Amino acid sequence: MTQEIKLEEIFQSRIDNGEKIEPKDWMPEKYRKTHIRQISQHAHSEIVGMLPEGNWITRAPSLKRKCCLLAKVQDEAGHGLYLYSAAETLGITRDEMTEQLLSGKAKYSSIFNYPTLSWADIGAIGWLVDGAAIINQVMLTRTSFGPYARAMVRICKEESFHQRQGYEIMLGLAQGTQAQKDMAQDALNRFWWPSLMMFGPRDEDSPNTAQSMKWKIKRKTNDELRQQFIDITAPQADYLGLTIPDPALKWNEERGHYDYGEIDWEEFWQVVKGNGPCNKERIDARQKAWDDGEWVRDAAMAYANKKAANRNESKTGS
Amino acid sequence: MKDQLYKYLLLLGDNSMILGHRLSELCGHGPNLETDIALTNISLDLFGQVRSYFKYAATLKEGETEDSIAFLRFERDYYNTILVEQPNKDFAHVIVRQFLFDAYHKPLLEQLMNSKDETISAIAHKSIKESKYHLRFSSEWVKRLGDGTEISHQKTQNAFNTLMPYIEELFIETPLELAMKNEGIGADLNLVKASFDKTMSDVLPSANIETSDIKLRKTNGKSGFHSEYLGFILTELQYMQRAYPDMSW
Ligand SMILES: [Fe+2]
Ligand SMILES: [Fe+2]
Ligand SMILES: [Fe+2]
């Protein structure tokens, strides 16, 4: 018991000193569990996030845009891959994590439960959703768990590329015909509020924040990050000539920040609970890929085993 | 001559585009992340080739751009083969379609590397590395599935039974291909066929796949006569360009 307390003290002081915790190091069980949960949910978000954007690959309006979108969605698969690997260092397998996603035990970012209804949504997602993700993830590049922090460094570079690409799509639309401008405005109208929800509940409704700060999973609160996002994004919308769908949005000279209107937290919790517009479609799509892929994964395994057996045989034979 | 070269570039580009489109449908739906990434990669390589061919073609015809060529033709003016239109029925079909195409595409590019047309030769030089990688990927998977489990073997054999019949047209020289060959611009399909056959005899036995009983089918996508699938592919592919004409993206 005292031994355990001592270990925890040493552990915390390592984090306080800015040391990275590596998978083989001693860590409190709660630290391990929290990281498995957070990293796997982050990985699931990357993978589920492929679906709304993938929805427009076959209909992309030009060859160049199609290639950019394919490359982007492929990057997200790569992000999922690094993150699953980072979580695996804590003693869980990718298959177990997948099962948790499919059973609903593990969550993913709610933003991906909204549909992509026009090409402009691809621009809006890159601009707003990747933009919001970067704000969270830049913070995570300095988190205490080494594999997670390192994955984030790699991922953040690509996310900022996605963000610029998304903004560039929006810019093209904003400078285009009236139909294109309308499409862009409509996408902003639908994605603005869900993007703000990506930072999670208000600070007073976010009981884990203190512990997360201690472990450096978080360095700023949800509301601080949300404010940062709004402050960056509002002038960008102005530059595009688009209107953010919030009449209360206004620069506050005194605070040095934008004021903004109340988020619909009822909607937020409904989507988290599985009642968003596309929750079922997203999980069904992942379930189908998983089920359809089963015989393929089995075949690959059987083939690898045969090859290994052949190699062993030829070794003992010689 | 210029007209024929233009059409020949479309023929080369259309195979890559329609196959790239089929693969792009799978992005986010693969049997695992690694294959999802690999198939998307192949799709991206193919679309990269398409852009090179169509950009070049656009210089040969007044008023065309890579996008007008890609998106604004009528169905009969696409020259891809029927093989690449075939749907992603299951992963075995995806792999076998890829394997049959790669086994044709790689030797085709090897010949185009020596094309008298410098741009085609340059595109082929760039694409050959990609095509070699694609063939390695698809052959490995044919072996893995063919020699994996009983189920995977059956599915793979079925995919060959369905798709192999479409290879015939790959090697039947159209008047356009004949003219291009005679100009020293296009490939000699007899040589492509010899290489294709060698790939089959190298790979299929280790995958336990039997193809000797499969009857080939008469198809002529290369002259614009397609399967019923192409119309639906084009409906998606062309949607934005048709719904929002003359806009830039
Ligand atoms: Fe990502
Ligand atoms: Fe992310
Ligand atoms: Fe991204």
Side-chain angles (χ1 to χ4, degrees), chain A residues 46 72 76 79 130 158-159 162:
Chain A
E46 303 285 352
K72 188 197 168 187
E76 306 301 2
H79 298 170
D130 286 87
E158 292 178 352
E159 301 294 15
H162 297 166

Side-chain angles (χ1 to χ4, degrees), chain A residues 11-303:
Chain A
F11 177 81
Q12 188 59 47
S13 68
R14 290 185 60 199
I15 293 182
D16 295 344
N17 291 333
E19 277 177 55
K20 291 282 178 250
I21 306 302
E22 296 302 329
K24 295 233 157 63
D25 297 348
W26 184 88
M27 62 184 76
E29 211 31 48
K30 193 160 171 240
Y31 181 90
R32 180 186 303 276
K33 286 216 173 91
T34 302
H35 275 82
I36 288 179
R37 196 186 64 224
Q38 174 157 344
I39 301 171
S40 69
Q41 297 192 357
H42 192 164
H44 297 327
S45 300
E46 303 285 352
I47 301 312
V48 177
M50 295 168 74
L51 299 169
E53 293 192 273
N55 184 36
W56 278 87
I57 290 173
T58 58
R59 291 174 293 170
S62 70
L63 288 176
K64 182 178 156 216
R65 292 293 179 208
K66 191 188 291 284
C67 290
C68 290
L69 183 55
L70 269 166
K72 188 197 168 187
V73 179
Q74 186 190 35
D75 284 348
E76 306 301 2
H79 298 170
L81 208 51
Y82 308 152
L83 287 164
Y84 283 128
S85 309
E88 280 179 322
T89 65
L90 291 167
I92 186 169
T93 66
R94 206 202 295 177
D95 284 1
E96 285 167 337
M97 289 185 267
T98 303
E99 272 151 21
Q100 291 178 353
L101 169 70
L102 298 177
S103 73
K105 185 171 174 245
K107 300 279 180 236
Y108 55 89
S109 182
S110 278
I111 190 80
F112 301 120
N113 290 318
Y114 290 86
T116 49
L117 303 178
S118 80
W119 169 253
D121 290 11
I122 300 307
I125 288 181
W127 172 34
L128 302 172
V129 176
D130 286 87
I134 291 165
I135 288 179
N136 268 318
Q137 291 173 10
V138 163
M139 178 177 73
L140 286 168
T141 59
R142 295 186 297 148
T143 190
S144 60
F145 186 54
Y148 195 24
R150 287 188 291 272
M152 279 302 120
V153 171
R154 228 169 135 177
I155 289 174
C156 271
K157 282 191 201 125
E158 292 178 352
E159 301 294 15
S160 42
F161 184 70
H162 297 166
Q163 198 268 349
R164 277 202 302 280
Q165 218 166 51
Y167 191 70
E168 201 226 317
I169 290 177
M170 293 304 271
L171 195 58
L173 297 173
Q175 294 169 345
T177 62
Q178 191 58 46
Q180 287 173 305
K181 286 181 183 143
D182 292 347
M183 192 189 285
Q185 181 63 56
D186 177 61
L188 175 58
N189 291 349
R190 284 178 290 108
F191 277 95
W192 175 253
W193 292 106
S195 300
L196 297 190
M197 294 176 197
M198 283 176 71
F199 297 95
R202 275 182 303 227
D203 291 347
E204 57 265 37
D205 301 323
S206 182
N208 297 324
T209 296
Q211 180 63 73
S212 298
M213 291 252 187
K214 250 181 105 186
W215 288 337
K216 300 191 176 170
I217 306 175
K218 267 184 178 295
R219 288 169 182 264
K220 290 180 183 166
T221 68
N222 293 354
D223 286 331
E224 285 168 340
L225 293 166
R226 185 160 24 239
Q227 184 71 60
Q228 190 184 334
F229 173 74
I230 293 169
D231 291 347
I232 293 172
T233 311
Q236 294 174 344
D238 280 344
Y239 185 78
L240 293 174
L242 299 177
T243 308
I244 289 177
D246 177 3
L249 189 87
K250 206 168 76 234
W251 177 251
N252 181 326
E253 195 64 61
E254 217 170 289
R255 288 205 307 128
H257 291 294
Y258 281 86
D259 291 337
Y260 57 98
E262 189 58 33
I263 291 170
D264 182 351
W265 293 110
E266 170 59 19
E267 175 178 320
F268 173 79
W269 290 114
Q270 281 302 321
V271 181
V272 170
K273 281 180 199 142
N275 306 322
C278 297
N279 296 61
K280 184 166 186 327
E281 286 80 355
R282 300 299 181 237
I283 290 299
D284 285 354
R286 290 316 309 159
Q287 182 77 55
K288 183 172 189 310
W290 180 248
D291 294 345
D292 290 353
E294 189 180 6
W295 69 268
V296 178
R297 297 189 300 272
D298 289 348
M301 181 79 82
Y303 184 77

Side-chain angles (χ1 to χ4, degrees), chain B residues 68-79:
Chain B
S68 70
I69 294 173
F71 298 109
L72 294 174
R73 282 177 280 153
F74 292 117
E75 184 175 336
R76 189 63 72 80
D77 303 321
Y78 285 81
Y79 305 119

Side-chain angles (χ1 to χ4, degrees), chain B residues 61 70 75-76 95 109 147 157 170 177 200 208 217 219:
Chain B
K61 202 166 171 189
E75 184 175 336
R76 189 63 72 80
I95 289 299
L109 289 171
D147 189 26
Q157 181 66 57
L170 297 172
E177 288 169 305
M200 293 303 125
N208 305 321
R217 286 219 211 171
T219 55

Side-chain angles (χ1 to χ4, degrees), chain B residues 9-54:
Chain B
L9 289 166
L10 267 44
L11 189 152
L12 294 170
D14 286 346
N15 272 326
S16 294
M17 180 164 71
I18 301 304
L19 184 56
H21 178 93
R22 279 299 192 208
L23 293 170
S24 81
E25 294 174 341
L26 293 165
C27 184
H29 306 276
N32 63 20
L33 277 174
E34 288 81 355
T35 45
D36 204 309
I37 290 171
L39 292 173
T40 305
N41 225 359
I42 296 176
S43 176
L44 266 170
D45 287 342
L46 293 171
F47 275 111
Q49 296 165 16
V50 172
R51 295 190 66 191
S52 304
Y53 288 127
F54 290 178

